[in-house]
């Protein structure tokens, strides 16, 4: 886990179900049937039903549905902008990172420790 990152809450199934429910509500608020949304998104009706039911669906279907609902540009808002800050560019000699390093614990300086006061 990345330091200072909150652990994920809930599970994948709950998130998928909540996402499906929200998509269905948006669709209904725009007075669209599942069949019409499928047509506008270029997806199959069973794919729309699966997505709204919170069952496994493809990323392609999700993105097509979001675009059909005019929400396609908002999907990128959930991730921070990955642009490297200018200070990091200088530190990396003008190059952007392309790989991540394996996180390892810093080695101990030594095994020496203060003795307990009871041992004196």
């Amino acid at each position: 886990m990345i330091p200072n990152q909150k652990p994920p809450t809930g599970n994948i199934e709950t998130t998928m179900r909540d996402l499906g429910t929200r998509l269905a509500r948006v669709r209904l608020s725009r007075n669209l049937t599942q069949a019409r949304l499928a047509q506008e998104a270029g997806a199959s009706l069973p794919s729309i039903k699966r997505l709204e039911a919170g069952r496994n669906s493809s990323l392609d279907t999700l993105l097509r549905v979001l675009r059909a609902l005019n929400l396609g540009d908002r999907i990128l808002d959930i991730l921070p902008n990955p642009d490297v800050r200018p200070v990091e560019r200088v530190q990396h000699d003008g190059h952007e990172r392309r790989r991540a390093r394996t996180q390892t614990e810093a080695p101990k300086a030594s095994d020496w420790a203060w003795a307990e006061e009871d041992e004196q």
Side-chain angles (χ1 to χ4, degrees):
M1 182 182 296
I2 299 171
N4 299 328
Q5 182 183 14
K6 294 180 183 178
T9 57
N11 60 32
I12 299 298
E13 291 80 18
T14 303
T15 303
M16 288 172 55
R17 194 171 39 253
D18 291 346
L19 178 63
T21 300
R22 287 185 185 195
L23 287 171
R25 287 182 179 167
V26 170
R27 175 183 58 78
L28 291 170
S29 73
R30 299 192 181 170
N31 198 29
L32 290 171
T33 64
Q34 287 180 327
R36 180 71 181 164
L37 178 59
Q39 183 181 13
E40 289 185 15
S44 68
L45 180 58
S47 293
I48 301 298
K49 288 181 178 184
R50 206 171 26 253
L51 184 63
E52 288 187 0
R55 296 195 345 253
N56 200 8
S57 188
S58 71
L59 178 59
D60 180 71
T61 300
L62 174 61
L63 293 176
R64 287 175 181 271
V65 166
L66 290 174
R67 285 225 171 152
L69 295 172
N70 294 320
L71 298 171
D73 57 335
R74 300 196 51 205
I75 190 72
L76 295 177
D77 293 342
I78 63 172
L79 297 173
N81 190 338
D83 289 340
V84 178
R85 297 180 311 209
V87 171
E88 291 176 352
R89 283 190 185 271
V90 170
Q91 289 174 344
H92 296 294
D93 207 20
H95 300 288
E96 291 186 27
R97 292 189 74 172
R98 294 180 182 238
R99 296 183 186 154
R101 290 187 180 157
T102 304
Q103 302 255 341
T104 58
E105 290 186 29
K108 282 183 165 182
S110 73
D111 289 332
W112 184 86
W114 290 98
E116 294 292 327
E117 291 182 16
D118 298 344
E119 295 176 6
Q120 293 181 9

